[in-house]
Amino acid sequence: MEVKDFAIWLPCLICFVSILPAPFLGDEIFDYQHMCSADGTEWEGLGCGTTKLLIKGGTVVNADLQFIRDVYVEDGIIQMVAQNLPVTDDVRVIDATGKFVMPDLLKGFEIYSEKAKKSCMDYGFHMAVTTWNEKVAKDMELLVKEKGINSFKFFLAYKGALMVTDEQMLQGFKKCKELGALPLVHAENGDAVAEGQSQIFAMGITGPEGHALSRPPVLEGEATARSIRLAKFINTPLYVVHVMSIDAMQEISQARQSGQRVIGEPIVSSLALDDSKLWDADFKIAAQYVMSPPIRSAGHDKALQAALSTGILQLVGTDHAPFNSSQKAQGRHDFRAIPNGVNGIEERMHIVWDVMVNSGKLSPREYVRITSTACAQIFNIYPRKGAILPGSDADIIILNPNATTKISASTHHSRMDTNIYEGWTMKGNIEVTISQGRVAWENGRLHVKRGAGRYIPMAPFSYLFDGLDKLDLEYVSSFKAPVDRSTAA
């Protein structure tokens, strides 16, 4: 088949996105569900039988954002999350002021499973673990063995909300290894970031540039190194998400050179951008670029491109978490309140082609590996996904390397009113996207059906776990212990 002058057929991991449900409840988090017995009877007069519930004034924590909101629930489903929701006589009200409001680990899976039923493309999940107790361990086991989850994310950042301690991370890593699930880490030192934020804000730096200044590369490097060493101690594979700095990349490189099984994932923005826009005099422009870890200064992007081209880093993600300019404006006078996140899911394939293939850093085959195949292999769904082979899902893109693509908020397919790649013009254009054997995109038009996407369960024990038992045995054998001292004088 010929498209214009020349067309490249590529396997595409269509919308195999890692959707991050909000985390499990910690000891200090308000938990209405667990105040009721399994049969719905009341404990301490809470009125558990009601079908309408309003949780007032709590800090709602999701994996990508936290804010003070009311949560209205009816018939077991969250109906509204908003400020100052009215109270009616038939609604049970719970005051959560000063407390965190989060779902359980398993409940988070159920909530996002329901949301994802609207997806027009195939998808998968990973889950976040933000504390540790026996319930978390049991939920993880159920999710792996019965729900098709094979990865769990640990946040070393976001102190007071999502951040885990080293002890919690160790226990989580141990459970992941036992279950054959891959631990993922968001690597920033949360304690140091909190201190940095306080210091920078106290200096009178309140704008978006303060975000980057308070989270320097050294804090990303430290957390990356710490998580790698703890993973080595447990002897489990590790996946470092959104690698943004030379500091983090070097820690991954050193670990891989020593034989440790560490996956490094740069994202589109870390490969293609630098932090100069954070200093733009227009707050609306600068705030667009606030994400965590931050987009780094010039030089980090080129180093990450080189690391990707030489195999030090293995695949490219997006960390797609967009907010419009009104949402970003919440932090106009305090960078700490700017919602963290940038766009990238629609732009990823074009930007990576331009930055890595048009520049000669990667071949088309290597492009397929870093955008599709490596992900499918790491998350154990290859060759169903990530390949054009008999028996593989017919998820395919047709890319014309001689056509031109221009990115703009005025033409993209997101409801965002901004785009951090505004005005980018490049050679290479995806002209056709095929999902499940059906044409989903052609001639600049979408042809999708809501709900056509399928949940893709992911089996545990990918290739990254092969041979770990032998390494464990070798490690224990090296102890030369316990020493028999029964015959000693």
Side-chain angles (χ1 to χ4, degrees), residues 186-388:
H186 171 128
E188 289 180 287
N189 187 308
D191 289 317
V193 166
E195 177 63 22
Q197 288 178 323
S198 297
Q199 289 183 2
I200 294 297
F201 191 80
M203 293 170 64
I205 302 172
T206 62
E209 69 278 9
H211 179 76
L213 293 171
S214 68
R215 313 172 89 103
V218 66
L219 302 187
E220 185 185 353
E222 184 281 330
T224 303
R226 179 159 40 100
S227 62
I228 286 173
R229 284 158 177 76
L230 293 182
K232 183 175 183 179
F233 176 64
I234 300 299
N235 190 27
T236 183
L238 183 69
Y239 185 117
V240 183
V241 304
H242 41 57
V243 177
M244 303 296 292
S245 67
I246 293 173
D247 304 54
M249 178 270 290
Q250 289 178 338
E251 296 294 342
I252 293 167
S253 176
Q254 180 179 329
R256 288 178 62 84
Q257 287 175 7
S258 72
Q260 193 173 346
R261 301 178 187 189
V262 180
I263 300 296
E265 175 215 78
I267 59 176
V268 184
S269 58
S270 67
L271 294 170
L273 301 174
D274 61 50
D275 68 352
S276 57
K277 290 290 188 180
L278 285 167
W279 273 260
D280 195 285
D282 186 334
F283 175 88
K284 179 179 177 181
I285 293 174
Q288 293 178 48
Y289 294 83
V290 170
M291 63 168 295
S292 295
I295 298 169
R296 303 300 184 184
S297 58
H300 289 270
D301 51 345
K302 300 299 183 184
L304 295 180
Q305 291 171 24
L308 186 63
S309 67
T310 55
I312 294 171
L313 303 174
Q314 287 69 54
L315 72 165
V316 181
T318 67
D319 197 30
H320 180 77
F323 298 92
N324 63 34
S325 56
S326 296
Q327 292 169 315
K328 292 279 189 177
Q330 294 175 26
R332 177 171 291 278
H333 304 294
D334 185 347
F335 67 84
R336 297 169 296 183
I338 300 174
N340 285 203
V342 301
N343 59 287
I345 196 169
E346 182 175 349
E347 298 80 12
R348 180 182 74 126
M349 299 295 281
H350 289 116
I351 295 288
V352 174
W353 180 269
D354 188 50
V355 170
M356 300 303 298
V357 181
N358 285 342
S359 65
K361 294 182 177 70
L362 290 180
S363 69
R365 286 186 299 172
E366 292 168 321
Y367 172 79
V368 169
R369 173 178 56 80
I370 66 168
T371 60
S372 183
T373 305
C375 184
Q377 292 170 334
I378 290 165
F379 292 100
N380 215 14
I381 55 173
Y382 182 86
R384 177 179 179 180
K385 301 289 185 183
I388 300 178

Side-chain angles (χ1 to χ4, degrees), residues 368-447:
V368 169
R369 173 178 56 80
I370 66 168
T371 60
S372 183
T373 305
C375 184
Q377 292 170 334
I378 290 165
F379 292 100
N380 215 14
I381 55 173
Y382 182 86
R384 177 179 179 180
K385 301 289 185 183
I388 300 178
L389 294 171
S392 299
D393 286 354
D395 296 339
I396 298 167
I397 64 171
I398 300 176
L399 188 152
N400 183 349
N402 298 314
T404 299
T405 299
K406 184 174 182 179
I407 298 175
S408 174
S410 64
T411 56
H412 69 199
H413 297 82
S414 168
R415 287 184 292 178
M416 285 182 65
D417 59 344
T418 61
N419 192 306
I420 60 170
Y421 305 102
E422 183 68 41
W424 275 56
T425 302
M426 67 207 82
K427 284 190 67 176
N429 183 51
I430 297 171
E431 297 187 336
V432 180
T433 299
I434 299 168
S435 173
Q436 302 175 37
R438 296 189 293 266
V439 173
W441 169 264
E442 187 176 23
N443 298 324
R445 299 190 64 179
L446 279 169
H447 307 280

